[in-house]
């Protein structure tokens, strides 16, 4: 009985996660982009499965008699064999210069583009958290005449001096063309901001009571770093990672424009757009469909990241 | 102050040495040599390749090549692999073409971002704030070359002017007025498109800085004294909000090279970004290396200038 009264009188206790979820919901744009992105992930995975396993969805089928059909053209050709017909007998987003179904290519491209974005950000997160954590946690340790912190942070300074897009372009152009090289290079040139974030967080965390308590219990240092400290420092990092995915997708499309992006037959939004721009006047949908897709997806990542930043940083909230 | 500057310059010189070593090894360790750029050419015999390699020191060990590169760079003897022209002169010619584009786009960024950001911060949550926020996110998110194509088509169709290249071919005999108008059209569009991304980012940044300053105690004090609102905002608020932009200004200087590859390619503008791109295609290592080195110098110079300006502008910072 007593417990019942207490529960009624006090506001329901909320976990940290729940509280932030409510805050995110209040920011309608960020909330909408969040669900948009979830839907997009589902679509990308579906696209991957469908384009690999179902013949009618194959984005690589060339139908030369059917090229440059505008979107929503029904399939009526007598030359193309029946088994190459598009799904539901209609070219939802038209066909390109080789008569490939743009809808199928966009479906395949969603998966590849998102993979490029996420793997690149994954690499930069790994390197950034590792080096930032080392600099923050073992910063005072001396290696000869120089501290670990100085060594790592000077290396970050050096990396920041390279013009990033020019460096990416140089390395991607010199290496043999492959989708993995692009992910790795984008990842390895964008970890510096994350390393700085993590180091700053670690500097303030390493003398706090819970870390000292963990040390006093002789918990191994890797456990202190990864189980105790990283979760406390991860929020701002995840926010910048969200925006990093958007940047990586844009970088990939810029590389595609210069001809160094993901190479055919793999389709990404970037190289569909870069190939389509040649036919801007004859077949505008080849430019506008991938162009606006990139715009909306990158916008959703940016808005979602910005919304998360507000949620995690109490100073930025609208109603203090 | 002098001590601070000297120490800073010294640190940056050390960084520069490391940067040159790293960029030299990254580029030379990548697979594929310049001598092998055309392996299918039947007229290239093994001894020709050997001669080319010897002429450009490509048969030496890496550290010897590095020493040769540094020596040639500082004596001005460095020659491009592609056409045997002096690298410094090539870069200088392209630099002169890039500078007007850079200055015009910087002016667009700084003169437009500030009014938009301040207005958005002062009328927080108004229609203007929401619309400008949404538009700037849109402009950050759009692939630059897609937007450039749309704008080129729009401008060319509406105003019937040509915008590709630095000037219209065949107008050399035209009167001065025509020629200068032609130059202005050719300059405006590329500058505008390279400015758009920076403008969107900077106006967001101005807005958040102003929002932070607006709620400070000294702003309330200034209002309590009965100062006119304009003076409160611009004398007390803006001047304090401006400080971080000194850093931003220093960081924009390297955009002269790195940020311009795509737009210079689209507009066939013979600037430094395109020189770099052409050098990458031809595996012209001396040009790539020197451009990277040059842009690292620009970055370090930019941060040095912003450090010094910060000290001058903010009396709380002591050297």
């Amino acid at each position: 009985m007593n417990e019942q009264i207490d529960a009624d009188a006090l506001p329901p206790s909320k976990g940290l996660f729940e509280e932030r979820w409510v805050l995110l919901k209040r920011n309608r744009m960020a909330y909408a982009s969040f669900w948009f992105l979830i839907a997009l992930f589902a679509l990308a995975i579906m696209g991957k499965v469908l384009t690999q396993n179902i013949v009618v969805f194959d984005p690589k089928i060339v139908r030369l008699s059917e090229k440059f059909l505008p979107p929503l053209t029904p399939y009526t050709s007598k030359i193309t064999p029946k088994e190459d017909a598009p799904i539901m007998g209609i070219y939802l987003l038209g066909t390109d210069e080789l008569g490939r179904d743009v809808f199928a290519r966009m479906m395949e491209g969603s998966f590849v583009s998102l993979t490029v974005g996420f793997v690149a950000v994954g690499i930069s997160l790994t390197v950034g958290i590792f080096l930032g954590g080392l600099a923050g946690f073992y910063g005072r340790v001396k290696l000869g005449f120089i501290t670990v912190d100085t060594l790592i942070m000077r290396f970050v300074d050096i990396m920041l001096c390279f013009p990033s897009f020019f460096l990416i372009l140089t390395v991607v152009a010199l290496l043999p063309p492959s989708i993995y090289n692009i992910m790795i290079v984008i990842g390895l040139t964008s970890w510096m901001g994350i390393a700085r974030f993590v180091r700053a967080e670690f500097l303030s965390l390493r003398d706090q009571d819970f870390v000292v308590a963990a040390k006093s219990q002789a918990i191994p240092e890797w456990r202190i770093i990864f189980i105790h400290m990283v979760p406390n420092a991860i929020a701002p990092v995840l926010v910048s990672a969200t925006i990093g995915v958007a940047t990586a997708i844009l970088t990939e499309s810029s590389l595609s424009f210069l001809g160094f992006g993901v190479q055919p037959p793999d389709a990404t939004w970037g190289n569909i757009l870069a190939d389509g721009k040649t036919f801007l006047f004859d077949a505008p949908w080849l430019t506008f469909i991938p162009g606006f897709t990139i715009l909306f997806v990158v916008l959703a990542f940016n808005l979602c990241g910005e919304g998360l930043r507000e949620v995690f940083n109490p100073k930025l909230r609208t109603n203090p | 102050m002098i001590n601070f500057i000297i120490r800073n310059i010294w640190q940056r010189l050390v960084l520069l040495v490391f940067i040159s070593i790293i960029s030299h090894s990254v580029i030379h360790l990548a697979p594929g040599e310049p001598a092998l750029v055309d392996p299918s050419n039947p007229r290239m015999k093994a001894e020709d390749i050997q001669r080319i390699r010897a002429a450009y020191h490509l048969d030496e060990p890496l550290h010897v090549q590095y020493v040769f590169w540094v020596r040639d760079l500082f004596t001005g003897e460095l020659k491009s692999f592609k056409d045997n022209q002096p690298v410094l002169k090539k870069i200088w010619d392209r630099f002169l073409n890039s500078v007007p584009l850079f200055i015009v786009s910087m002016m667009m960024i700084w003169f437009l971002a500030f009014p938009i950001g301040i207005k958005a911060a002062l009328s927080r949550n108004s229609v203007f704030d929401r619309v400008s926020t949404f538009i700037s996110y849109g402009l950050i998110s759009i692939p630059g070359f897609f937007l450039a194509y749309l704008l080129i088509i729009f401008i060319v169709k509406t105003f019937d002017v040509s915008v590709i290249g630095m000037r219209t071919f065949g107008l050399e005999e035209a009167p001065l007025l025509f020629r200068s108008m032609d130059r202005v059209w050719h300059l405006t569009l590329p500058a505008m498109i390279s400015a758009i991304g920076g403008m969107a980012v900077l106006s967001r940044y101005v807005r958040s800085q102003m929002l932070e300053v607006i709620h400070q105690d000294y702003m309330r004090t200034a209002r309590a004294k009965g100062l006119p609102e304009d003076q409160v905002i611009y004398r007390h608020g803006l001047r304090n909000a401006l400080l971080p932009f000194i850093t931003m200004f220093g960081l924009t200087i390297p955009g002269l090279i790195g940020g311009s590859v795509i737009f210079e390619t689209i507009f066939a503008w013979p600037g430094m970004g395109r020189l770099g791109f052409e050098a990458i295609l031809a595996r012209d290592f001396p040009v790539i290396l020197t451009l990277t080195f040059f842009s690292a110098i620009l970055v370090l110079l930019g941060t040095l200038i912003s450090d010094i300006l910060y000290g001058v502008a903010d009396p709380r910072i002591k050297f």
Side-chain angles (χ1 to χ4, degrees):
Chain A
M1 188 63 201
N2 227 350
E3 277 172 26
Q4 189 67 43
I5 292 170
D6 278 350
D8 285 343
L10 293 170
S13 67
K14 282 182 195 160
L16 214 51
F17 176 77
E18 221 176 320
E19 185 191 341
R20 284 169 182 173
W21 180 245
V22 172
L23 278 172
L24 184 68
K25 260 189 190 171
R26 224 186 281 160
N27 185 346
R28 252 178 289 151
M29 296 270 260
Y31 190 61
S33 350
F34 178 77
W35 283 110
F36 175 76
L37 289 179
I38 298 281
L40 186 74
F41 297 149
L43 193 74
I45 291 171
M46 213 170 77
K48 176 76 179 168
V49 174
L50 290 181
T51 48
Q52 280 214 326
N53 299 335
I54 299 183
V55 182
V56 284
F57 261 114
D58 191 350
K60 297 185 184 81
I61 295 180
V62 174
R63 317 171 184 83
L64 284 178
S65 60
E66 311 259 287
K67 61 185 180 185
F68 292 137
L69 293 180
L72 296 179
T73 313
Y75 163 82
T76 49
S77 166
K78 300 196 171 52
I79 307 165
T80 321
K82 261 279 178 286
E83 59 269 24
D84 284 358
I87 189 80
M88 295 188 296
I90 191 170
Y91 292 110
L92 263 184
L93 300 178
T95 57
D96 65 2
E97 76 274 17
L98 295 174
R100 292 173 295 190
D101 186 3
V102 178
F103 181 67
R105 277 171 67 71
M106 288 299 290
M107 290 283 268
E108 193 203 9
S110 321
F111 188 80
V112 181
S113 290
L114 289 177
T115 315
V116 170
F118 276 97
V119 173
V121 167
I123 293 173
S124 74
L125 270 184
T126 316
V127 178
I129 291 180
F130 181 71
L131 286 183
L134 274 188
F137 194 79
Y138 295 109
R140 297 173 190 141
V141 178
K142 282 211 160 194
L143 295 173
F145 62 97
I146 200 168
T147 61
V148 174
D149 186 50
T150 322
L151 191 71
I152 292 176
M153 293 328 280
R154 284 298 87 77
F155 183 57
V156 169
D157 286 348
I158 290 175
M159 287 300 292
L160 282 173
C161 282
F162 288 109
S164 60
F165 186 71
F166 191 65
L167 182 69
I168 294 175
L169 189 61
T170 312
V171 178
V172 167
L174 293 183
L175 292 177
S178 116
I179 182 170
Y180 301 105
N181 283 340
I182 292 173
M183 299 176 192
I184 294 172
V185 171
I186 295 179
L188 287 186
T189 46
S190 57
W191 53 270
M192 289 83 78
I194 293 173
R196 286 188 155 182
F197 265 135
V198 174
R199 172 180 172 267
E201 289 286 323
F202 265 46
L203 284 184
S204 69
L205 285 179
R206 75 177 172 196
D207 293 326
Q208 282 191 16
D209 289 342
F210 71 96
V211 177
V212 178
K215 275 183 187 164
S216 74
Q217 293 172 22
I219 293 173
E221 271 175 349
W222 65 267
R223 238 188 112 80
I224 299 183
I225 294 179
F226 289 107
I227 311 281
H228 295 245
M229 288 172 81
V230 168
N232 280 294
I234 203 79
V237 174
L238 284 187
V239 170
S240 72
T242 316
I243 294 171
V245 176
T247 320
I249 292 176
L250 280 184
T251 309
E252 194 276 324
S253 76
S254 305
L255 284 174
S256 284
F257 169 76
L258 293 173
F260 290 108
V262 174
Q263 300 295 320
D266 275 329
T268 64
W269 297 328
N271 67 19
I272 298 173
L273 174 57
D275 293 344
K277 71 177 194 297
T278 330
F279 311 104
L280 187 51
F281 293 103
D282 304 321
W285 60 91
L286 290 181
T287 314
F288 284 94
I289 290 170
F292 279 107
T293 309
I294 296 178
L295 170 61
F296 289 135
V297 171
V298 173
L299 188 63
F301 271 110
N302 280 332
L303 287 176
C304 193
E306 226 32 58
L308 287 178
R309 175 173 299 174
E310 270 180 35
V311 168
F312 282 114
N313 187 347
K315 275 190 213 155
L316 292 176
R317 279 178 203 160
T318 326
N319 313 325
Chain B
M1 178 80 186
I2 299 291
N3 268 337
F4 169 80
I5 293 176
I6 291 174
R7 199 174 64 235
N8 253 301
I9 291 178
W10 171 242
Q11 281 173 353
R12 283 179 168 78
L13 283 179
V14 175
L15 274 188
L16 209 54
V17 172
F18 281 107
I19 289 166
S20 68
I21 293 175
I22 292 180
S23 51
H24 188 270
S25 13
V26 164
I27 285 170
H28 276 270
L29 288 177
E33 263 198 8
L36 300 176
V37 84
D38 194 8
S40 53
N41 188 348
R43 271 184 277 179
M44 286 284 265
K45 297 194 189 67
E47 51 266 38
D48 289 331
I49 292 176
Q50 204 48 49
R51 218 177 48 237
I52 293 174
R53 295 190 49 167
Y56 292 113
H57 310 299
L58 285 169
D59 48 356
E60 310 272 3
L62 260 190
H63 59 275
V64 181
Q65 287 188 37
Y66 176 73
V67 174
F68 275 120
W69 174 62
V70 172
R71 188 199 69 187
D72 288 350
L73 180 62
F74 284 101
T75 50
E77 296 278 299
L78 197 61
K79 296 277 172 56
S80 155
F81 285 173
K82 192 170 143 198
D83 48 12
N84 227 13
Q85 297 293 311
V87 170
L88 289 181
K89 185 175 174 301
K90 269 180 108 164
I91 292 181
W92 177 248
D93 288 348
R94 297 300 188 95
F95 176 74
L96 293 183
N97 290 338
S98 272
V99 163
L101 197 59
F102 180 71
I103 292 178
V104 173
S105 77
M106 276 299 117
M107 275 168 30
M108 285 181 182
I109 291 178
W110 289 83
F111 286 138
L112 285 176
F114 270 92
I116 294 173
I118 294 171
K119 176 103 204 300
L122 292 184
S123 54
R124 188 176 186 183
N125 289 336
S126 67
V127 177
F128 180 84
D129 186 23
R130 281 164 198 272
V131 170
S132 73
T133 303
F134 193 75
I135 289 180
S136 45
Y137 276 122
L139 291 178
I140 295 170
S141 307
I142 199 165
F145 63 95
F146 178 52
L147 183 64
Y149 275 95
L150 297 187
L151 272 181
I152 290 173
I153 292 173
F154 174 72
I155 297 275
V156 171
K157 284 206 166 160
T158 331
F159 298 100
D160 201 19
V161 290
S162 66
V163 291
I164 305 292
M166 282 181 75
R167 57 179 77 83
T168 306
F169 181 72
L171 267 190
E172 290 80 7
E173 303 291 311
L176 184 66
L177 182 68
F178 273 98
R179 262 184 299 152
S180 30
M181 272 314 287
D182 185 51
R183 288 302 289 272
V184 169
W185 271 113
H186 280 88
L187 188 60
T188 315
L189 200 58
M192 194 163 90
I193 287 175
S194 19
I196 276 175
M199 212 153 70
V201 175
L202 195 72
S203 68
R204 303 296 309 147
Y205 205 58
V206 172
R207 175 179 176 273
S208 68
Q209 274 301 317
M210 275 309 275
L211 279 182
E212 211 161 275
V213 166
I214 272 175
H215 298 294
Q216 297 287 341
D217 289 343
Y218 54 75
M219 295 291 278
R220 199 180 308 127
T221 315
R223 288 211 181 87
K225 283 196 298 187
L227 288 180
E229 187 64 20
D230 275 354
Q231 201 175 341
V232 176
I233 300 286
Y234 294 103
R235 285 285 292 272
H236 291 71
L238 187 60
R239 276 170 76 173
N240 278 295
L242 275 179
L243 276 176
F245 294 101
I246 295 174
T247 322
M248 293 281 284
F249 186 71
L251 288 178
T252 51
I253 293 177
L256 198 52
I257 296 182
S260 52
V261 182
I262 300 245
F263 301 121
E264 287 181 358
T265 311
I266 294 176
F267 287 96
W269 188 275
M272 282 202 289
R274 229 176 111 219
L275 175 69
F277 183 52
E278 288 160 4
I280 291 172
L281 289 182
R283 292 181 183 252
D284 196 349
F285 287 179
V287 176
I288 303 176
L289 278 174
T290 314
L291 269 180
T292 314
F293 190 65
F294 196 59
S295 91
I297 294 180
L298 287 181
V299 175
L300 293 174
L301 206 66
T303 52
L304 180 70
I305 291 174
S306 59
D307 277 1
I308 295 174
L309 280 181
Y310 221 105
V312 174
D314 189 348
R316 285 170 298 187
I317 291 177
K318 292 205 178 72
F319 294 112

